Each structure stands twice: as structure tokens, then as C-alpha cells.
Amino acid sequence: MQLLSVTLFGGIFWNYWECHNYSNNKLKQGRIMNFTFSEEQILIKETARKFAVDELQNNAGERDEKQEFPTEEVKKLAELGFMGMMVPEEYNGAGLDTISYVLAMEEISRVDASVGVIMSVNNSLVTWGINEYGNDEQKEKYLKPLASGELLGCFALSEPEAGSDATNQKTTAVRDGDYYILNGTKNWITNGYNADVALVMATTDKTKGAKGISAFIVEKDYPGYLIGKKENKLGIRSSDTVSIAFEDCKVPAANLIGEEGFGFKFAMRTLDGGRIGIAAQALGIAQASLDASIKYSKERKAFGEYISEHQAIQFKLADMATNIQAARLLTLNAAFVKDQVNSFTKQAAMAKLFASKIAVEAALEAIQIHGGYGYIKEYNVERYLRDSKITEIYEGTSEIQRIVIARHLLKD
Ligand code: CAA
């Protein structure tokens, strides 16, 4: 049983009562936890909002149109500590919790979801993954520059025949002395064109299925690391997406993360956190759709009055706002559970499933409210719709999230 009660103190304060049978004792006892956003968390949210409005808003549409990577903007984001938010300070990170990360992700994505995904991949997949499972040398060499924003990372799991079916890895890594030789192709790699470092999953033992997959840190300058052309996408167009081919790419054995065979679990654990980031991205897009709809409905007149006076519009706004608040609570819940206990797979899947669904719905409603104006690029809502759709696809489709949730329900 889970009870979640909300005290609206400007959205800052909420009580949380978890009675799940977690391994963590505090939660096992099912005690009530009062959760208040700290001053630091509020500051993070405000800083992200200000940055997004001041630095991203003006050119988000143009970057989207031109598929232009926000190089300077990402540098500034890094200066704020937003490229390694959950990395400890000793490794050049901001040392923040997942709640802070979610708050920042929502605000950045509310203005520019492309910047949101660039930030999300570097934070929740790349730096979180190395911090959690890398060794001291790997943290020193890669985590520090990735967390400070000196380097950018990408996460290479998907392949032409391994999207949802992620265990079907065809990329191979064969040990050769102090190196592994990688061969294969990775698809749909966000940040892949600009990334300096990739976390690559590859099969080291074909006979073992998921347990024969290993994870490697691979530098883009290693010979045999070949970056494909940028994909021409429907949405999140100023983030880049490419395929990466490995042709006898020689990777030092020291760059293996954990042990041989740990790669699939590494990818799944890391993606659990990634899904919280994408839920927050979806939330940002949904909130932007609502913001735009409220503004427009107070400016546009029809039948002699502002359309905000029409009940048909009011019902849409009310449904959007209610869905957004529910998605926000699910996302904060997932972040909270991640910060408290080791097991947050189900909560992350629920947050992503719901937030991505309501983001697409909110963007569609925003277009409907804007009428013909919603269908042209002068207004941002058509971008919100294009950006929202991918949140139902990447880091595990909605169908995969349902599988993950159902498996947990049946196992618990
Ligand atoms: N945490 C830890 N271990 C996990 C895990 C998790 N969340 N999920 C699965 N595992 C473990 C299982 O316990 C199992 O290990 P054991 O045999 O020791 O028990 C092993 O991994 C294999 O798991 P399954 O048997 O469940 O594997 P499956 O073939 O049924 O697949 C799946 C499971 C959930 C469908 C998985 O393949 C999946 O999540 N697919 C979607 C992949 C995905 O999200 N891709 C996104 C690409 S990255 C991206 O999009 C980034 C970007 O660019 C923005």
C-alpha cells in the first residue's frame, strides 16, 4: 500500500507515506516521512528556471529548425554544475540528490527539451553509471571531466536489432592481451555526434545471453570508432542522434566497467535512473504546453469573449494541470525512492510511462487550444508535440515500461 498526501505550500511541501516491503528498514516500518524541499533544492529549481529563460528561450526554436547543437549553452549549463548533478564534489560533480536533478530537468525541458535530453544522458546514464559502478582510476580519468562538462558522454546500448530487445546485442568485444577489440554498430545514440566518451555495451560471451554482455568506456579518438551521420529527427532536433560503428576498435581492458558479464545489469540499473530523467523531461514539456495554453486562452477572443471563458477550454486546462501534477508526484516519488533505497525500477518505469503519456496529450491539447496557430511554427506548441513523442520511445518504450511494471507486480 502506498499513500501519498500532498500539502500545497506553493508546491514545496509534501508528506510521503510508503508502506512497501522494501529491504530498507525505514520503509519496511511504513513510517510517515515529511519531505520538504530544502532551500538548496528550491535554489536549484530557480537557477534552472532562470538559466532556461535567460539562455535557452530565445533561440530554442531556431536551433530546433536548424538541428543546431547548443554547444555554448551546454558549456554554461556545465558551469552551473548541471552536467554532473549527482556526482560527488570530489569528482567535480555538484553532489546533489535525484530530487534536485528532477527539479532542474523539468525547468530546462520546459523551455528546451533538446537541452534537457543532452543533460539527462550525461547526468543519469553516463556520469551516474561511472560513479556508481566505475573503479577509482575510471572515476579519476573519465568521471571528473564528464561531470565538470569538459567532456560530453553518450550511452551506446541500442543496435539495429536490439532496441526494446536489448539483450540481443550483436556488438562483440574480444579480449586480446591488455585490450578488447570491439566490432559492431550502435543506433540512436543521443549526444553521439558531439560526445567524447561512450559507454558501450558489447557481448564478451555469446553463449551466456544477458550474462555475456559487458560494459566499456570508449573514447571517440580510439581507432575504429566511427561516427555516422546525424539523424534528421521529428523532435528534440537540436540534440544530436547518430549511429556509431566499431571496426576493430581497440579498447584498453582497464576500461571494462565492473566484471565481464556485468554489462546488461549495468545498462538496466543505469536506465532505471535515466527513466526518471526522461519523466522529468516529459513533465517539462507538458508544463510548457499548459503555460502556453493558459497564456493564449487569455489573449484570444472568440464569440465576443476570451476563449479562457469558454468551458470547453477550461476543462482542457483543468485536465492538463491535474495530469501534470500527478506526473510530477510520480516523478518526485521515483526520485525520492532512488535517493532512499536501492530498488526503484518500478517507480521509475511508472513515472516515465505516465509523464510521457500526459506530455503527448498536453501538447496535443495545446495545439487544439491554439487552433490554426498551434499548427504553425510561430508558436512553440508544435515543437512541444514533436519533442514530447520521443519520451514515449527512448530509454524504454511505454510498452517496455508496462512490462517492467507488470513483472514487479507479479513478483512482489
Ligand atoms: N536492474 C538490475 N538488473 C536487471 C534489471 C534492472 N532494472 N532489469 C533486468 N535485470 C537483470 C535481470 O534480473 C536478469 O538477471 P538475472 O538473470 O541474474 O536475474 C537480467 O538482467 C536479464 O533480464 P531479463 O530476463 O528481464 O531480460 P529481458 O530480455 O526480458 O529484457 C527488458 C528486459 C526490461 C525488456 C530490457 O531489455 C529493456 O529494458 N529493454 C529496453 C531497452 C531500453 O530501455 N533501451 C533504451 C536505449 S538507451 C537510450 O534510449 C538513451 C538515449 O539515447 C536517450
Side-chain angles (χ1 to χ4, degrees):
M1 179 174 71
Q2 173 178 304
L3 293 181
L4 185 68
S5 68
V6 182
T7 312
L8 280 180
F9 242 124
I12 287 169
F13 183 80
W14 50 297
N15 295 324
Y16 187 93
W17 184 5
E18 271 281 4
C19 301
H20 278 297
N21 189 24
Y22 290 127
S23 52
N24 180 294
N25 278 337
K26 269 195 286 183
L27 294 180
K28 251 188 185 171
Q29 290 159 15
R31 56 188 240 197
I32 296 175
M33 279 164 283
N34 284 333
F35 181 82
T36 312
F37 286 168
S38 65
E39 281 182 21
E40 186 180 58
Q41 288 164 339
I42 295 164
L43 184 66
I44 296 294
K45 185 177 168 68
E46 288 172 355
T47 304
R49 178 69 184 154
K50 182 165 168 31
F51 174 83
V53 170
D54 291 352
E55 305 284 345
L56 302 177
Q57 192 158 272
N58 276 351
N59 297 326
E62 191 181 331
R63 280 193 300 273
D64 166 79
E65 183 76 16
K66 295 182 177 164
Q67 292 216 96
E68 193 177 279
F69 190 83
T71 308
E72 288 309 310
E73 289 78 0
V74 171
K75 262 190 211 159
K76 289 180 187 168
L77 209 56
E79 283 162 17
L80 290 175
F82 282 7
M83 292 305 275
M85 292 188 74
M86 293 169 287
V87 173
E89 288 173 27
E90 61 174 307
Y91 291 112
N92 292 346
L96 295 165
D97 59 7
T98 313
I99 301 262
S100 303
Y101 169 57
V102 159
L103 296 175
M105 267 298 294
E106 180 186 342
E107 291 302 340
I108 298 295
S109 305
R110 186 174 167 191
V111 173
D112 189 337
S114 290
V115 176
V117 73
I118 295 164
M119 176 178 153
S120 177
V121 167
N122 206 66
N123 273 282
S124 34
L125 299 184
V126 180
T127 54
W128 191 84
I130 300 177
N131 185 54
E132 202 69 13
Y133 299 110
N135 60 33
D136 290 347
E137 291 73 33
Q138 291 166 348
K139 288 184 191 179
E140 196 61 40
K141 187 170 179 190
Y142 296 109
L143 185 56
K144 278 187 169 178
L146 282 163
S148 67
E150 195 186 319
L151 299 181
L152 182 69
C154 66
F155 186 83
L157 172 68
S158 300
E159 296 187 355
E161 291 173 56
S164 291
D165 185 8
T167 51
N168 189 31
Q169 296 282 308
K170 297 281 189 266
T171 299
T172 55
V174 177
R175 183 82 190 235
D176 181 14
D178 289 341
Y179 292 87
Y180 283 89
I181 309 299
L182 265 60
N183 278 287
T185 302
K186 295 292 175 180
N187 266 25
W188 318 120
I189 309 304
T190 308
N191 288 355
Y193 193 80
N194 286 281
D196 306 281
V197 170
L199 302 190
V200 181
M201 272 39 77
T203 296
T204 39
D205 187 342
K206 270 184 199 163
T207 63
K208 291 187 178 164
K211 289 189 170 62
I213 296 168
S214 304
F216 300 90
I217 305 172
V218 185
E219 296 180 30
K220 74 157 193 271
D221 294 330
Y222 290 161
Y225 184 117
L226 308 171
I227 302 171
K229 71 168 176 50
K230 279 192 199 178
E231 302 292 353
N232 189 3
K233 294 176 298 191
L234 174 72
I236 54 158
R237 285 168 56 82
S238 76
S239 71
D240 66 69
T241 304
V242 296
S243 59
I244 301 176
F246 300 100
E247 288 183 9
D248 291 331
C249 182
K250 215 170 153 185
V251 178
N255 287 20
L256 174 71
I257 298 177
E259 301 163 350
E260 269 195 24
F262 178 62
F264 191 71
K265 286 207 174 173
F266 168 79
M268 290 298 111
R269 289 292 292 159
T270 308
L271 276 167
D272 284 342
R275 288 166 185 169
I276 300 176
I278 300 305
Q281 184 200 25
L283 195 52
I285 300 169
Q287 184 63 52
S289 301
L290 177 61
D291 296 341
S293 299
I294 292 173
K295 182 171 183 292
Y296 183 78
S297 68
K298 288 177 169 176
E299 292 166 359
R300 172 76 176 173
K301 280 189 168 175
F303 305 102
E305 55 188 4
Y306 290 111
I307 61 170
S308 59
E309 303 295 321
H310 297 169
Q311 211 173 49
I313 302 297
Q314 290 175 355
F315 282 9
K316 286 186 194 299
L317 297 177
D319 286 346
M320 285 159 89
T322 305
N323 283 338
I324 289 168
Q325 187 63 356
R328 185 172 289 120
L329 291 174
L330 270 178
T331 307
L332 286 169
N333 175 39
F336 172 79
V337 176
K338 175 168 174 275
D339 286 337
Q340 298 293 318
V341 292
N342 209 16
S343 168
F344 56 92
T345 304
K346 183 179 73 181
Q347 288 81 0
M350 284 178 165
K352 182 181 181 292
L353 174 65
F354 189 72
S356 60
K357 175 178 176 287
I358 66 103
V360 174
E361 288 171 5
L364 273 169
E365 286 294 50
I367 290 181
Q368 194 67 18
I369 289 168
H370 283 70
Y373 291 105
Y375 205 66
I376 59 173
K377 286 183 186 283
E378 207 175 313
Y379 286 79
N380 286 327
V381 290
E382 64 82 34
R383 171 161 60 88
Y384 301 155
L385 178 63
R386 290 186 288 102
D387 286 352
S388 68
K389 185 58 201 170
I390 191 64
T391 65
E392 292 190 311
I393 298 172
Y394 57 22
E395 303 208 15
T397 62
S398 297
E399 291 74 14
I400 290 296
Q401 307 311 322
R402 289 187 175 95
I403 288 172
V404 170
I405 296 162
R407 282 184 183 177
H408 274 77
L409 294 176
L410 298 169
K411 183 184 78 178
D412 285 349

